[in-house]
Amino acid sequence: MARPRPASFEKTKVVAENRRARYDFFIDEVFEAGIALTGTEVKSLRFGEGSIAESFAEVKDDQVFLVNANIPEFSHGNRHNHEPKRPRKLLLHAREIEKFYGAVARKGMTLVPLSIYFNSRGRAKVELALAKGKKAPDKRATEKERDWKREQGRLLRQHG
């Protein structure tokens, strides 16, 4: 029998985070995906190395790949080392892949990785979001809202 999927993802150790994603995109839905890695890639991630700042995911031939994610070579990896920016296969259910394909093809949405982390079982996972790109006015509104929240907090601390 299959294990029930967790309602919220248990992140024990976040390795890489895409901090600009929430600024550049409207996040619609968030998914957890496994990631097919080689041994040296896992070791690099365990050392806290890796970047997904300018990466994205794409659906190709009924599979989803993480493109442009940088996991640097492992220092003690000798000839078995990996290529730092190779496309990595994401492990998802067929139904989720079909949903992604439909959203990207029809609605013009993008698959954006939000973070790479290790779950409670020690498996490397990718938090993947179905997102829509923001235009410049939307970004200004986001910035204005963030500044207002910061100001509110400051005012509450002063008078509280």
Side-chain angles (χ1 to χ4, degrees):
M1 193 171 119
R3 267 184 306 115
R5 301 197 78 189
S8 64
F9 315 128
E10 286 181 46
K11 298 181 187 179
T12 53
K13 181 184 177 192
V14 176
V15 178
E17 206 168 7
N18 189 350
R19 303 181 81 178
R20 278 194 66 88
R22 294 186 194 282
Y23 177 74
D24 288 338
F25 297 95
F26 290 115
I27 305 298
D28 191 31
E29 271 187 271
V30 179
F31 297 87
E32 180 181 55
I35 181 167
L37 298 171
T38 64
T40 52
E41 288 173 323
V42 175
K43 288 182 177 187
S44 272
L45 285 175
R46 289 221 187 271
F47 277 107
E49 296 174 353
S51 164
I52 55 170
E54 58 280 342
S55 66
F56 60 96
E58 66 180 0
V59 182
K60 214 187 310 178
D61 308 326
D62 294 333
Q63 295 181 338
V64 181
F65 290 93
L66 183 63
V67 181
N68 216 9
N70 184 27
I71 300 176
E73 289 188 343
F74 183 57
S75 55
H76 305 309
N78 62 38
R79 67 169 197 257
H80 299 295
N81 240 326
H82 61 276
E83 193 183 314
K85 286 207 168 191
R86 74 176 183 90
R88 294 167 178 91
K89 184 178 172 184
L90 297 180
L91 310 172
L92 291 150
H93 291 281
R95 200 177 300 126
E96 291 174 329
I97 294 172
E98 286 169 22
K99 185 176 189 172
F100 289 154
Y101 181 77
V104 170
R106 279 193 298 277
K107 300 177 192 164
M109 296 184 103
T110 315
L111 288 172
V112 183
L114 299 178
S115 64
I116 294 180
Y117 60 93
F118 286 99
N119 69 2
S120 55
R121 298 179 68 208
R123 302 262 195 259
K125 300 285 183 179
V126 177
E127 191 176 26
L128 200 60
L130 206 49
K132 201 166 191 74
K134 284 185 182 177
K135 306 271 191 290
D138 299 325
K139 290 181 185 179
R140 281 196 293 273
T142 303
E143 214 163 288
K144 194 183 275 187
E145 189 177 314
R146 190 176 341 139
D147 290 345
W148 169 238
K149 288 245 190 304
R150 193 178 298 136
E151 189 62 33
Q152 265 183 326
R154 198 174 290 133
L155 289 170
L156 284 172
R157 277 195 303 275
Q158 284 177 353
H159 300 292

